[in-house]
Amino acid sequence: MQLVEPRPSRPIPIRITPLIDVVFILLVFFMLTTRLLPVDYLELANNTSSRSPVTGDPLPELTVTADGKVQWQGQSMAPDQLVSKLGDAGITEVNLATTGDTPLGAFTRVLSGLTAQNIDTHWKRAKPQTP
């Protein structure tokens, strides 16, 4: 005598909906409990202790051209001439920019020449001009 009916021969489908619900709940839990950035070690480059709050003269604007020369005060000169003129003028901080077609090598030579003479350089590379 058989008390239990035999299992059907077809496979029983696994229902995915409860599994998706559980995974979603776990995802939300971990998103809410995890820190994305280490807040304890957030570094801000905000050291202004050596600067005066009084505004002074604007920094000299230097522009590196495509031929590797540097324009300053309407004059175009070689980087070594520029460094000596800046030293004679007592300038220790400059803004450096490039034209859109300046090669990276020319920019790097000027930047390393200024850095070697202990001239603080703030720089940005200009975007190439589109016709």
Side-chain angles (χ1 to χ4, degrees), residues 1-130:
M1 179 163 138
Q2 191 175 8
L3 296 175
V4 180
E5 292 184 23
R7 291 184 120 176
S9 62
R10 63 184 170 101
I12 299 174
I14 299 174
R15 285 182 265 165
I16 298 286
T17 306
L19 293 174
I20 292 174
D21 290 343
V22 169
V23 169
F24 180 71
I25 289 171
L26 286 173
L27 177 67
V28 169
F29 172 76
F30 286 115
M31 285 174 57
L32 293 175
T33 59
T34 304
R35 286 192 209 178
L36 296 178
L37 292 174
V39 179
D40 300 331
Y41 301 103
L42 188 62
E43 180 180 341
L44 299 175
N46 197 16
N47 184 9
T48 58
S49 60
S50 63
R51 297 186 185 226
S52 170
V54 178
T55 51
D57 296 332
L59 295 177
E61 297 283 335
L62 309 176
T63 305
V64 183
T65 58
D67 59 355
K69 296 194 181 254
V70 183
Q71 291 181 347
W72 178 45
Q73 296 178 340
Q75 298 177 346
S76 183
M77 59 189 84
D80 54 345
Q81 292 174 334
L82 172 76
V83 169
S84 64
K85 284 193 175 192
L86 290 174
D88 293 343
I91 296 173
T92 60
E93 193 172 6
V94 296
N95 288 334
L96 183 64
T98 61
T99 59
D101 55 348
T102 302
L104 183 61
F107 171 75
T108 307
R109 279 190 291 280
V110 173
L111 181 63
S112 50
L114 292 169
T115 305
Q117 295 299 320
N118 294 326
I119 297 174
D120 291 331
T121 308
H122 309 282
W123 57 272
K124 69 176 180 177
R125 184 162 174 91
K127 295 179 182 176
Q129 297 175 351
T130 55

